[in-house]
């Protein structure tokens, strides 16, 4: 064999050995498709959880009908949906109450909860920090004032005291759309409405479905004076380090939409069929 021939065959052997290793490596990286619960084949190995077998959920549980506390039990649309997702994934679901404004940083820090379910709007600045699942609810903003107030447009609120929940899209809308607004941030929506009833703020900007729910059985003389079509979509928040969990929740969500469970939960909390996709 010529010298080039020998070098060539040596290279060939090296290449062969390397490809065998590469294949072997591939095979072990492939997660085992073991069922993690009823009716799902999501690979368990890809989902990172703080506590094995448990999905810990961070939420500001003062946001009905999405999440609120009934004694020490969380209830609402997000809670039922998250429980149904947990069932699909073979995981026990546990809600942990957190202030809305600190949900994202707490999720990023890790160790407290695996997912955010808190009527959280998917938006680009948040997507830089965390991942969101597919959207699960379409929402808009609203303005509430004392009954009998006149409201023809945001200019009527110029320079007025506007109650908002800290860190929300309602706060962002008020900041952008109301000239010289004196924003008064509250840690939750219910506190903002208490301030409105007490006359400490002139208006409250908050997600429409929640304001509708909060004012439903309210005798403090408050009303929705405007609906603001912001076209928001809620998603569940997951750490960027946990794409397996995002994928698993998306898969479960799609299954729940297909099998009618999503529609059932939607009707339970909103009294109407979910909008067509
Ligand atoms: N959708 C709004 C946002 O993402 C408000 C959400 C507030 N949620 C809550 N559970 N307090 O900013």
């Amino acid at each position: 064999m010529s010298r080039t021939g020998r070098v060539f065959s040596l290279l060939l052997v090296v290449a062969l050995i390397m490809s065998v290793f590469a294949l072997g490596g591939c095979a072990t990286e492939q997660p085992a498709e073991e069922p993690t619960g009823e009716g799902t084949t999501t690979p368990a190995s890809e989902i990172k959880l703080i506590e094995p077998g448990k999905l810990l959920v961070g939420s500001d549980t003062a946001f009905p009908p999405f999440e609120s506390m009934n004694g020490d039990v969380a209830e609402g649309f997000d809670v039922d949906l998250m429980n149904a997702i947990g069932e699909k994934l073979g995981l026990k679901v546990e809600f942990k109450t957190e202030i809305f404004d600190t949900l994202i940083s707490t999720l990023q820090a890790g160790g407290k909860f695996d997912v955010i379910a808190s009527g959280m709007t998917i938006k680009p600045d948040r997507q830089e920090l965390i991942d969101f699942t597919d959207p699960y609810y379409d929402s808009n903003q609203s303005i509430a004032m004392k009954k009998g107030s006149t409201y023809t447009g945001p200019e009527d609120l110029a320079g007025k005291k506007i109650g908002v929940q800290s860190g929300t899209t309602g706060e962002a809308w008020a900041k952008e759309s109301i000239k010289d607004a004196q924003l008064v941030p509250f840690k939750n929506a219910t506190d903002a409405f208490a301030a409105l009833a007490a006359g400490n703020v002139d208006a409250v900007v908050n997600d429409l479905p929640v304001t509708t729910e909060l004012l439903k059985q309210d005798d403090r003389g408050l009303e929705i004076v405007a609906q603001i079509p912001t076209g928001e979509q809620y998603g569940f928040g997951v750490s960027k380090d946990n794409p397996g969990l995002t994928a698993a929740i998306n898969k479960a969500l799609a299954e729940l939409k297909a099998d009618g469970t999503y529609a059932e939960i939607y009707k339970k909390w909103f009294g109407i069929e979910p909008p067509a996709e």
Side-chain angles (χ1 to χ4, degrees), residues 59-63 67 78 100 103 117-123 126 139 141 165 167-170 187-189 206-207 232 234:
S59 183
D60 166 46
T61 48
F63 206 61
E67 46 263 337
D78 286 352
F100 185 79
L103 281 170
S118 200
M120 187 177 274
T121 302
I122 302 169
K123 59 192 211 79
R126 290 175 179 166
S139 193
Q141 290 299 313
Q165 186 181 8
T168 60
T169 48
K187 78 175 194 312
N188 62 44
N206 185 53
D207 292 25
E232 293 172 48
Y234 296 169

Side-chain angles (χ1 to χ4, degrees), residues 7-179:
V7 169
F8 182 75
S9 39
L10 192 70
L11 276 175
L12 203 71
V13 168
V14 169
L16 261 171
I17 291 171
M18 278 173 67
S19 65
V20 165
F21 272 110
L23 274 176
C26 249
T28 50
E29 264 163 36
Q30 205 74 205
E33 283 264 40
E34 23 173 274
T36 55
E38 212 170 282
T40 170
T41 53
T42 310
S45 50
E46 276 190 11
I47 302 175
K48 289 186 208 160
L49 296 170
I50 294 162
E51 283 182 40
K54 242 191 205 176
L55 194 56
L56 298 176
V57 184
S59 183
D60 166 46
T61 48
F63 206 61
F66 295 94
E67 46 263 337
S68 55
M69 293 309 289
N70 187 350
D72 52 12
V73 183
E75 62 174 26
F77 179 73
D78 286 352
V79 180
D80 281 356
L81 198 51
M82 220 55 239
N83 278 328
I85 289 167
E87 218 168 284
K88 289 265 182 206
L89 302 179
L91 299 172
K92 214 175 152 258
V93 170
E94 193 180 306
F95 268 70
K96 301 209 159 225
T97 298
E98 274 286 326
I99 290 171
F100 185 79
D101 205 12
T102 59
L103 281 170
I104 291 181
S105 55
T106 307
L107 178 70
Q108 281 184 300
K112 215 157 179 200
F113 46 80
D114 304 293
V115 57
I116 296 171
S118 200
M120 187 177 274
T121 302
I122 302 169
K123 59 192 211 79
D125 57 340
R126 290 175 179 166
Q127 282 171 309
E128 275 174 28
L129 307 172
I130 57 168
D131 284 340
F132 281 93
T133 63
D134 293 333
Y136 67 86
Y137 184 86
D138 294 339
S139 193
N140 285 309
Q141 290 299 313
S142 67
I143 300 173
M145 294 176 81
K146 281 232 162 112
K147 273 186 186 145
S149 314
T150 29
Y151 179 88
T152 54
E155 57 284 355
D156 291 347
L157 294 176
K160 293 263 163 76
K161 282 193 190 142
I162 313 297
V164 292
Q165 186 181 8
S166 284
T168 60
T169 48
E171 177 180 54
W173 181 87
K175 209 178 270 177
E176 249 166 55
S177 316
I178 304 169
K179 202 170 164 280

